């Protein structure tokens, strides 16, 4: 139905910034709630940021609030995650996810999404 492809990961020093992207194909971005999750080695997948299907509401995990911003460009069919003031504990594989049946109360629940990208590695280290 929809294919998601992340890009833009890399190596960043602590305090630095990085923007990762999630390109949609097969379907238009409109009509989907989208989110970013991350997973470090040996850890569970963690909610990072979400963007509601209707209304343009954004949501953030406590660990990234005030540092990360989720946005989208409907014309380019792409979702972005701008990451500022990066910390070593932000190191993880970052995944984008999408669902067309996600309600607001479930936007941070990884089990609410049925479409996932392959992930892009973000490493924060000096």
């Amino acid at each position: 139905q929809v294919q998601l492809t992340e890009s833009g990961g890399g190596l960043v020093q602590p305090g630095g910034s990085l923007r990762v992207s999630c390109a949609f194909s097969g379907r238009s971005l409109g009509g989907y709630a989208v989110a970013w999750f991350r997973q470090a080695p040996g850890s569970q997948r963690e909610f990072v940021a979400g963007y509601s299907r209707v209304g343009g509401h954004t949501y953030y995990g406590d660990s990234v609030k005030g540092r990360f911003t989720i946005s989208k460009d409907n014309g380019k069919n792409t979702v972005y995650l701008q990451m500022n003031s990066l910390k070593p504990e932000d190191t993880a594989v970052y995944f984008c996810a999408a669902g067309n049946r996600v309600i607001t109360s479930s936007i941070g629940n990884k089990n609410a999404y049925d479409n996932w990208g392959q992930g892009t590695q973000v490493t924060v280290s000096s």
Side-chain angles (χ1 to χ4, degrees):
Q1 183 178 6
V2 59
Q3 183 174 341
L4 312 179
T5 305
E6 301 96 335
S7 62
L11 176 63
V12 189
Q13 290 188 319
S17 298
L18 195 68
R19 188 179 73 166
V20 292
S21 302
C22 176
F24 278 58
S25 62
R27 293 288 187 275
S28 296
L29 182 54
Y32 286 84
V34 296
W36 288 93
F37 292 81
R38 66 188 184 187
Q39 188 165 14
S43 300
Q44 295 189 84
R45 195 162 38 190
E46 176 190 19
F47 173 70
V48 176
Y51 201 117
S52 68
R53 182 180 64 85
V54 177
H57 304 292
T58 58
Y59 307 86
Y60 297 94
D62 289 340
S63 63
V64 306
K65 192 175 297 182
R67 300 187 297 122
F68 290 11
T69 303
I70 187 172
S71 62
K72 64 176 182 177
D73 185 331
N74 289 333
K76 295 183 177 180
N77 222 30
T78 301
V79 181
Y80 304 97
L81 182 69
Q82 178 67 46
M83 300 178 286
N84 299 324
S85 302
L86 283 161
K87 305 173 181 179
E89 53 262 45
D90 295 319
T91 296
V93 177
Y94 283 71
F95 299 90
C96 65
N100 58 5
R101 303 176 189 86
V102 180
I103 61 175
T104 300
S105 61
S106 297
I107 202 161
N109 181 0
K110 62 182 181 293
N111 298 127
Y113 298 88
D114 52 9
N115 299 282
W116 292 85
Q118 83 290 340
T120 186
Q121 176 71 47
V122 174
T123 302
V124 184
S125 177
S126 60

